[in-house]
Amino acid sequence: MSWLRALKETARSGLTVERRQLEPVIAARGALGLALVVGLSLALFGPAVAASSAFGAFQAAIATFQRSWRPRPTLALASGASLAVSTFLGYVTGAGSHPFLFLALLLLWTFLSGLAWAAGPTAGIIASSSVAIMLVTVTLPTSVATAAGHAAMIFAGGVVQAALVVLLPVRRWGAQRDALADALAAEADYARRLRHDPVAPFDPVPLMTARSAAAVTPRQARRRPAELHGARGLAERIRPVLASLADPAVGVPEEGSQRDRVRELLAAAAAVLDAAAHAIRHGEPVTLPPPAVAALRTPDTGAILSGPPRRAAHRLAALLGDVVETAEPRTETTGTDEARTRPTMVRLAPIVLAKMRAELRPDSPILRHAVRVSAVTAAGYLLGAALPFGHGYWAPMASVMVMRPDFTQTYARSVARFGGTLVGVALATAVVRTAHPGVYLSAALAVLCAFGMYLLMRTGYAVAQACVAAYVVFLLGMDGAGLTQTVRERVLLTLLGGVLAMLGYAVYPAWETPRLRGRLADWLSASGRYAAAVAARYAEPAGQSCPDVREALLAARAARVAWQEAVDRATHEPVRHRGLSHATAEAAGHAVAEFGRAAMLLEAHLPDRGATPLPAAAGLAEALRRSTEQGAKDVRERREPHWDDLRETVADWSADPPDHFLLERGGRLLLDVLDELTDALAPDFRDRVIRRRPERS
């Protein structure tokens, strides 16, 4: 994609306003906390301290809106504490009298905030916001003692927001309920699509999100509703059963009475899963539609279906019954020994530090982001101080807020930040210069802008930034700070910060396009280990010395999501084709997804622990492991992959086929899909050979 087209696409993405379900009650709670902090600070300490405490409360409320499964009060306290420490250290190092000492701290602080993205987007956003707001708050104190007081009030703002989350709860466990309900709803949608497309793809992201939401701290485990524990595991087990029931490769013809019965069962399963999802989302009893119950309980299934489809139908009915029983709201909670444990904030610190240290390598996108954001923020600070506009923090604040580890978000947010700031600053400055609001009216207008930001922050970055820009103008206007700055000067400084962020990525990029082959190879290797683990379980049903199927499946899912995210990031990158073309990436991704689906069909019919071992499955497992490992190496090193070990194993079955219909069909299906992967990669391989072939005279 050319630079011009990339800029056009990212600009359009940044200015897009999405229709999302608003949460006015939660937004009002955040605005209430901000109003309490500002009002008390104004009454007791004056406008300057009120501005600092307001920034603390404002940032703490934003932290509670981030996608995290930790208790919201913890996020508010962590945000308030990080901003308080940043403000105090920033003033002590001499933000006003010793700018170069402050510049050294700013470089260190922004570098660490960039590395914080290794711990996840929530940590990265909180760290980046703390640096951005610090650039404003360090200008408010006048001595070390007042700086300590400002830091204390900033932390107090976080404490107030945390207390309101506890005292005024809105939808307890709402995020976890939504994650689990979304997983069940995704299963229901999958069942409906299988009725019309027996090999329909399934996006595992809702299941992975529900798994992440299921991890709790010991304190959370004692209070978690019982219906939030167990249904996710059942949804995981239902997915391969649904695929096995619908797939013609397992034995159900594409048309006829058996296919009609399968479609009826899939429709009933979708209705039951939707009912369970609704009950979990709202904490209500499960209301099952009578036609779905009748379809699942009819005795005709055993007369119409036989073999693996009949077994899948019975397993599906049993699993759906377990889902309904689990989804019923109950008063008891689960014990800590039954929950997936999440480390507390204290125990999380060494884990985060280890992740940050792991990113200190030359090829790390996180390290490149940390270097970029620190250099760009420092450059913005120096340029803002050198320009005759005053309050030059608008430039570095814009840079640190818009920069992200990938190209698309950085450029989209830069455009959105400029557009939002232009609107917000223009409106707020017009109000200030025409109405001349007093201290308390400016504070009220700031709280109103904050409420608008909390309410609309998920609808688009440009809309949120308009509210944020107006909030800053009104808040600093309480004490008369920044009133000498015009709209033009504020907008120009924001434009400068956005341009610096965009130039920083162009000069020192971390393109995803050249890494696509590595991501594809990782996904292929992980899928191969999953398929080998499934085949090994047929060879040894007890599974005492076999790889864990569940762990292999989770690793394959994580690799698939990493691949999908990489493809999405590479789509709008202005990079010449040095990895995989878009068409090749789509075809190769489809082939590897089909390979995982074929392994999932085998998983749906794993033998019981007491079943007779199948020696042929051991050879299949070893062939799958060797072939996919070598194939992944070939993909990574730009060679055409071959599957000789697996091909020889399947060819040997011609004389002595395994005594298991599904295993034989599954092995051949896995080989066919790998051949499709080779065909998908062939165009790029041929193009590379042609480009390297010397021209004949």
Side-chain angles (χ1 to χ4, degrees):
M1 180 180 293
S2 65
W3 271 97
L4 182 61
R5 184 180 175 188
L7 291 175
K8 179 181 177 181
E9 293 294 332
T10 53
R12 181 183 301 171
S13 173
L15 297 176
T16 299
V17 178
E18 301 179 7
R19 298 185 63 180
R20 294 286 186 91
Q21 184 176 358
L22 304 181
E23 298 177 323
V25 178
I26 300 178
R29 183 180 64 190
L32 173 62
L34 179 61
L36 291 174
V37 170
V38 174
L40 290 175
S41 300
L42 278 175
L44 298 176
F45 304 106
V49 175
S52 289
S53 60
F55 276 116
F58 178 73
Q59 171 63 17
I62 291 178
T64 63
F65 281 88
Q66 301 305 316
R67 185 66 178 269
S68 175
W69 313 116
R70 292 193 175 277
R72 301 300 173 184
T74 303
L75 296 177
L77 292 174
S79 176
S82 63
L83 181 57
V85 172
S86 300
T87 298
F88 180 73
L89 292 179
Y91 184 83
V92 169
T93 54
S97 57
H98 302 88
F100 289 101
L101 187 59
F102 174 73
L103 182 63
L105 175 71
L106 183 62
L107 281 168
L108 174 63
W109 230 234
T110 49
F111 181 78
L112 293 177
S113 72
L115 287 181
W117 285 88
T122 299
I125 290 173
I126 292 177
S128 300
S129 301
S130 295
V131 174
I133 296 178
M134 176 195 72
L135 291 164
V136 182
T137 55
V138 294
T139 64
L140 300 176
T142 56
S143 66
V144 175
T146 56
H150 279 253
M153 290 304 299
I154 288 173
F155 180 68
V159 172
V160 170
Q161 294 288 12
L164 284 180
V165 173
V166 175
L167 297 175
L168 302 175
V170 180
R171 285 195 72 211
R172 291 183 184 272
W173 297 91
Q176 285 82 358
R177 287 185 179 278
D178 288 341
L180 180 55
D182 289 345
L184 293 175
E187 295 275 7
D189 177 69
Y190 181 53
R192 290 192 180 91
R193 288 187 290 113
L194 286 174
R195 297 179 67 239
H196 309 288
D197 181 7
V199 293
F202 178 80
D203 185 1
V205 171
L207 291 177
M208 297 179 67
T209 303
R211 175 177 169 79
S212 179
V216 291
T217 62
R219 183 174 180 272
Q220 285 180 301
R222 292 191 294 269
R223 292 169 170 78
R224 181 172 58 172
E227 61 267 25
L228 296 184
H229 182 77
R232 177 188 58 82
L234 293 170
E236 297 268 10
R237 293 162 59 190
I238 285 175
R239 181 204 168 189
V241 174
L242 291 172
S244 173
L245 183 63
D247 200 304
V250 179
V252 176
E254 296 186 7
E255 296 297 337
S257 60
Q258 295 187 60
R259 176 57 57 179
D260 293 338
R261 180 59 183 146
V262 165
R263 292 193 180 106
E264 187 179 3
L265 290 174
L266 291 172
V272 172
L273 289 168
D274 274 337
H278 182 274
I280 289 175
R281 193 184 303 276
H282 300 284
E284 301 172 353
V286 182
T287 303
L288 296 177
V293 176
L296 291 170
R297 291 181 178 176
T298 178
D300 294 342
T301 300
I304 298 175
L305 302 180
S306 61
R310 178 180 178 181
R311 180 185 178 187
H314 289 313
R315 289 189 64 186
L316 177 62
L319 289 172
L320 290 174
D322 293 340
V323 168
V324 172
E325 181 181 356
T326 303
E328 289 287 351
R330 288 163 284 172
T331 56
E332 72 272 12
T333 58
T334 59
T336 57
D337 57 333
E338 301 177 4
R340 294 186 63 241
T341 57
R342 184 185 300 278
T344 61
M345 292 295 288
V346 175
R347 295 184 177 180
L348 184 64
I351 299 175
V352 172
L353 290 176
K355 289 183 177 180
M356 294 170 66
R357 284 198 302 269
E359 296 296 334
L360 297 176
R361 61 182 195 277
D363 61 336
S364 169
I366 299 297
L367 177 61
R368 281 180 168 259
H369 170 67
V371 173
R372 266 197 314 271
V373 72
S374 56
V376 168
T377 304
Y381 176 76
L382 292 175
L383 288 174
L387 292 173
F389 295 152
H391 303 285
Y393 51 72
W394 284 86
M397 183 172 66
S399 297
V400 75
M401 286 297 292
V402 303
M403 295 189 75
R404 292 293 184 265
D406 64 282
F407 164 82
T408 302
Q409 285 199 57
T410 296
Y411 277 61
R413 291 169 71 90
S414 296
V415 175
R417 176 91 182 184
F418 175 72
T421 300
L422 178 63
V423 174
V425 167
L427 293 177
T429 304
V431 170
V432 169
R433 292 191 174 276
T434 56
H436 302 287
V439 174
Y440 286 95
L441 181 56
S442 295
L445 290 173
V447 171
L448 181 62
C449 291
F451 172 75
M453 192 271 180
Y454 299 149
L455 183 66
L456 303 174
M457 63 184 301
R458 299 197 185 280
T459 63
Y461 191 71
V463 177
Q465 287 311 303
C467 297
V468 171
Y471 169 80
V472 174
V473 172
F474 287 129
L475 199 63
L476 297 180
M478 291 191 306
D479 195 30
L483 291 182
T484 58
Q485 248 188 347
T486 65
V487 174
R488 179 180 64 86
E489 292 167 342
R490 287 168 175 158
V491 170
L492 285 177
L493 287 171
T494 301
L495 176 61
L496 174 63
V499 169
L500 287 175
M502 298 168 79
L503 287 176
Y505 205 102
V507 173
Y508 191 56
W511 303 124
E512 196 68 48
T513 302
R515 291 196 291 268
L516 284 180
R517 280 187 173 271
R519 300 285 190 183
L520 181 65
D522 293 340
W523 184 18
L524 173 61
S525 179
S527 299
R529 289 192 295 270
Y530 165 55
V534 172
R537 192 57 61 89
Y538 281 85
E540 188 178 344
Q544 297 176 354
S545 60
C546 296
D548 186 74
V549 174
R550 175 67 178 156
E551 293 300 322
L553 173 61
L554 294 176
R557 283 182 180 171
R560 174 177 180 173
V561 171
W563 158 260
Q564 291 174 335
E565 292 176 347
V567 171
D568 292 339
R569 288 193 293 266
T571 300
H572 300 300
E573 289 183 346
V575 182
R576 285 184 176 273
H577 164 44
R578 299 199 309 270
L580 296 172
S581 65
H582 294 309
T584 300
E586 182 179 359
H590 175 74
V592 180
E594 287 297 301
F595 180 82
R597 188 187 64 83
M600 184 180 62
L601 294 178
L602 289 173
E603 184 195 357
H605 297 277
L606 286 177
D608 298 330
R609 289 186 174 273
T612 303
L614 295 172
L620 176 62
E622 184 62 21
L624 283 168
R625 185 188 61 79
R626 290 198 305 265
S627 294
T628 52
E629 284 183 358
Q630 181 59 46
K633 184 178 180 181
D634 292 338
V635 170
R636 194 175 283 109
E637 297 177 357
R638 299 173 178 267
R639 296 195 301 264
E640 189 172 8
H642 300 281
W643 323 102
D644 297 334
D645 287 334
L646 182 58
R647 198 178 308 278
E648 292 175 3
T649 300
V650 173
D652 291 342
W653 288 350
S654 300
D656 186 18
D659 189 18
H660 193 285
F661 166 77
L662 187 58
L663 184 64
E664 181 183 5
R665 291 292 302 273
R668 299 186 186 279
L669 182 60
L670 289 168
L671 178 59
D672 291 342
V673 174
L674 290 177
D675 285 335
E676 291 180 11
L677 176 60
T678 299
D679 294 339
L681 295 172
D684 275 10
F685 177 78
R686 286 195 295 268
D687 291 344
R688 185 173 64 88
V689 172
I690 293 173
R691 285 195 300 269
R692 290 187 176 183
R693 184 179 301 165
E695 295 183 359
R696 296 181 180 180
S697 57

